[in-house]
Amino acid sequence: MKILVVRVSAIGDVLHTLPALFYLKKCLPTAQVHWVVQQKAASLLQHQSFIEKLWILPNKFLQPKNWRQTLPIIKELRSTKWDIIIDFQSLLKTSLLMLPLKGKRYGFSKNHCREGYSSWFTHKHIEPVYDNIIQKNLALVSGVVQDVTGTHSCPVTRDIHDLCHFDYPQEHKNTVDGWLEKNNIKQFILLAPNTTWPSKHWPEKNWQQLLEYVQKSASADISVVLVGKDFGKQAQNLAQIIENKGLNVSILPPMNLLTMAYLIEKTDLLVAPDTGLLHIADYVGTPAIGIFGPTLLKKHGAFLTFENKKRSVQISCNHFYEKKHGNIEHEHDKRNC
């Protein structure tokens, strides 16, 4: 049996889909599972034994400038007769990607699609009952399994978490272990301030206060590591503050997502807003404090690691699921939080 998983982005969305993939493999152990994903999230899924083949699309794969790369991949996908195609994303772009493919397409019912009309492009619709996005994805897989096998399935969180893992090539481990040894870091707290939505950012002054607090309060054996200096303004600004104030904080060099996942497995605590690295921590069972503003921690926060649910913080926020604050140039705007 050949199954195609369609979840092209983003990093957090991919992490929220992985438990469903493991449950699918548990229920259909002989199935060959393929995954189609965009370049920006691909490194997290490469080298993984639980994926038969990874199909990597360019970012923004439907834009004309990327058609030269996109069309051959779609053509090759179309040459396979898929037994099952699962659309976890429920967007127009994934619907258009699946449209020419051969096989029975499963997705969410109209009311649970991110873009309702994407349900027009799937044959079988699942009506999920859920609080957290991971539950939603598990419900979709449960519906697929029931349709294929005729048996009702009910995933148990503890069992799913025991199945979840990453396969780390030795070179990824060597990169992390070598850097930690070089900097004499044994126990450490990982601070990851960057995130894609401006509205999800925790204020810079709060990060600065946290840095200073940890410097004063933590044991001398606990190191502090800042993530993201090379790919996010928030971390760049904090790195400058660290340098200006002479704080004893290590700055992590660039690492790909899978290497970063191994580092997160080794850390004693991760602090981050609603972002992909926070979801990696939940996935691998690392203690984390998640900071949520415009998004809901109950829906997008920790689900697999129970202790991380209790550590999450929901900040009152006026711009519910808006990517940007109100008019951030004017302090009198009451929509700023």
Side-chain angles (χ1 to χ4, degrees):
M1 177 181 288
K2 288 191 174 182
I3 301 174
L4 182 65
V5 168
V6 180
R7 179 57 121 172
V8 298
S9 64
I11 296 167
D13 291 337
V14 167
L15 264 299
H16 286 147
T17 305
L18 275 170
L21 180 142
F22 279 102
Y23 188 63
L24 182 67
K25 294 279 287 184
K26 178 183 179 181
C27 295
L28 304 172
T30 61
Q32 297 178 10
V33 179
H34 296 228
W35 190 314
V36 58
V37 69
Q38 288 179 178
Q39 183 68 50
K40 60 184 175 183
S43 65
L44 196 62
L45 300 176
Q46 289 174 318
H47 311 293
Q48 302 307 308
S49 60
F50 47 82
I51 299 175
E52 184 74 19
K53 182 172 181 178
L54 191 65
W55 302 80
I56 303 175
L57 294 167
N59 298 329
K60 299 180 179 179
F61 61 90
L62 290 180
Q63 289 190 356
K65 66 179 181 180
N66 291 322
W67 285 357
R68 182 174 292 184
Q69 293 174 270
T70 300
L71 292 176
I73 295 173
I74 294 177
K75 184 178 179 180
E76 193 172 352
L77 286 168
R78 193 176 187 277
S79 67
T80 298
K81 175 63 172 70
W82 302 98
D83 296 286
I84 300 168
I85 301 172
I86 310 176
D87 181 12
F88 285 96
Q89 201 129 10
S90 303
L91 293 174
L92 178 60
K93 65 180 181 181
T94 52
S95 298
L96 294 176
L97 172 66
M98 293 188 305
L99 188 59
L101 306 187
K102 303 170 185 174
K104 189 172 184 179
R105 301 191 291 270
Y106 292 81
F108 296 110
S109 59
K110 182 179 179 180
N111 291 336
H112 295 279
C113 290
R114 291 172 65 183
E115 294 175 346
Y117 47 77
S118 67
S119 64
W120 303 345
F121 298 86
T122 50
H123 303 120
K124 187 77 175 181
H125 304 134
I126 307 303
E127 188 83 24
V129 177
Y130 67 98
D131 292 317
N132 190 279
I133 293 296
I134 291 175
Q135 284 179 304
K136 180 182 181 182
N137 293 330
L138 286 167
L140 178 53
V141 164
S142 294
V144 171
V145 170
Q146 186 170 352
D147 190 60
V148 172
T149 66
T151 57
H152 179 70
S153 64
C154 184
V156 179
T157 306
R158 183 182 300 170
D159 295 341
I160 298 300
H161 203 186
D162 289 344
L163 295 171
C164 292
H165 70 278
F166 282 123
D167 299 323
Y168 299 109
Q170 191 60 46
E171 61 186 281
H172 292 62
K173 294 182 179 181
N174 292 344
T175 297
V176 170
D177 294 338
W179 184 81
L180 292 174
E181 184 177 357
K182 178 182 176 181
N183 291 275
N184 194 30
I185 296 173
K186 296 175 182 177
Q187 291 180 288
F188 62 102
I189 297 171
L190 210 55
L191 304 183
N194 294 334
T195 185
T196 50
W197 293 12
S199 60
K200 289 182 181 180
H201 285 155
W202 201 35
E204 192 174 290
K205 64 179 181 180
N206 292 8
W207 284 108
Q208 185 176 342
Q209 289 173 0
L210 177 61
L211 280 169
E212 293 171 353
Y213 173 79
V214 172
Q215 292 282 291
K216 293 176 183 177
S217 306
S219 162
D221 297 330
I222 303 290
S223 302
V224 180
V225 178
L226 178 69
V227 177
K229 172 182 175 291
D230 298 283
F231 60 85
K233 186 176 180 181
Q234 194 93 339
Q236 289 173 6
N237 293 343
L238 282 175
Q240 190 61 55
I241 290 170
I242 289 166
E243 182 179 343
N244 293 343
K245 295 200 169 192
L247 299 176
N248 186 23
V249 177
S250 299
I251 309 296
L252 190 74
M255 293 182 178
N256 70 28
L257 283 171
L258 190 58
T259 308
M260 182 68 69
Y262 180 66
L263 177 73
I264 290 172
E265 278 206 35
K266 296 180 75 71
T267 191
D268 295 273
L269 177 68
L270 172 77
V271 183
D274 180 9
T275 187
L277 301 188
L278 181 68
H279 304 311
I280 289 175
D282 182 48
Y283 178 80
V284 300
T286 292
I289 299 174
I291 305 165
F292 290 79
T295 56
L296 295 176
L297 68 85
K298 185 177 182 180
K299 185 175 182 180
H300 299 278
F303 177 76
L304 297 173
T305 305
F306 178 75
E307 291 79 8
N308 286 343
K309 292 183 185 180
K310 296 188 292 184
R311 296 188 188 101
S312 296
V313 179
Q314 182 76 61
I315 297 171
S316 178
C317 184
N318 293 323
H319 41 275
F320 186 66
Y321 283 91
E322 296 178 19
K323 292 187 177 182
K324 296 183 179 180
H325 292 279
N327 188 344
I328 58 177
E329 295 178 359
H330 300 94
E331 292 183 2
H332 66 269
D333 190 332
K334 293 181 180 180
R335 287 170 53 76
N336 293 343
C337 71

